[in-house]
Amino acid sequence: KVFVAGGPCRQQQTPSFHTSRPGSPPKPRAAGPRAPTPESYDVRLELDIARRTFRGDAVLGLAGPGPSRLVLDAADLTIERVACNGVPVEFVAHNEKLSVDLPASDRSRLEIRYAGASSEGLRIHDDHAFTGFDTRRWLPCDFAPGSRAPIRIAVASSRDWIGVGSGATDLG
């Protein structure tokens, strides 16, 4: 049995969940006040093979000025709770977006608990599961073509599967 966490990688072999065309530089951000930006993603997915569903816990490392609003892509995901630096915060999940008002901070840790079902982004089958390039369907994220950040993924399932992925590995 195999779980594959796919996606292109940066040249440094840091897993990247979304990139522009190979070899193209990231698009520059607009001038003016900068919204918080995800700099890292630490994700734990729990797969329910029989139901073809999953639950996720994501911790996003954010950099940028606050207080401000962060808007993430979250298509077909049910957002259960959001906390910033361990403190629950209000959020709005609507039209495939997750909006969170963040307190003032140059660096924040955003924790998101969510759930979803097998889809174009994460396909769950009896004998394998794999991610596609539609990350926003299995992880609340900045899905803009020029947005890149390292990601660590841990997967739990009721099956004894082998994990396969691209990028650097951290088995520790």
Side-chain angles (χ1 to χ4, degrees):
K1 313 283 185 186
V2 178
F3 175 81
V4 178
C9 295
R10 289 187 189 186
Q11 291 178 348
Q12 298 92 352
Q13 293 300 307
T14 301
S16 177
F17 65 88
H18 190 80
T19 65
S20 353
R21 291 190 176 102
S24 66
K27 293 181 180 177
R29 295 195 179 264
R34 193 169 70 96
T37 304
E39 290 192 327
S40 65
Y41 295 85
D42 195 350
V43 182
R44 177 173 170 75
L45 291 174
E46 300 168 23
L47 305 181
D48 185 328
I49 309 304
R51 291 187 176 98
R52 304 279 194 269
T53 61
F54 62 91
R55 294 182 72 98
D57 287 297
V59 177
L60 284 63
L62 302 176
S68 59
R69 173 165 287 183
L70 174 67
V71 178
L72 297 171
D73 296 285
D76 302 328
L77 298 176
T78 301
I79 307 300
E80 297 174 358
R81 72 174 176 259
V82 179
C84 184
N85 299 325
V87 178
V89 293
E90 291 189 23
F91 63 90
V92 175
H94 183 67
N95 288 338
E96 300 187 343
K97 301 287 184 187
L98 169 62
S99 299
V100 182
D101 289 323
L102 299 171
S105 178
D106 287 338
R107 297 218 169 267
S108 299
R109 175 184 158 102
L110 189 68
E111 300 121 23
I112 305 168
R113 176 72 169 170
Y114 61 98
S118 183
S119 71
E120 296 171 16
L122 173 59
R123 305 246 182 190
I124 303 171
H125 300 278
D126 286 335
D127 60 349
H128 69 284
F130 62 92
T131 61
F133 292 97
D134 205 353
T135 308
R136 65 196 169 134
R137 296 187 188 280
W138 62 269
L139 170 66
C141 62
D142 182 351
F143 197 61
S147 178
R148 300 179 185 184
I151 182 172
R152 288 174 34 112
I153 303 172
V155 178
S157 94
S158 57
R159 307 270 170 87
D160 188 20
W161 285 359
I162 298 169
V164 178
S166 59
T169 59
D170 177 6
L171 301 176

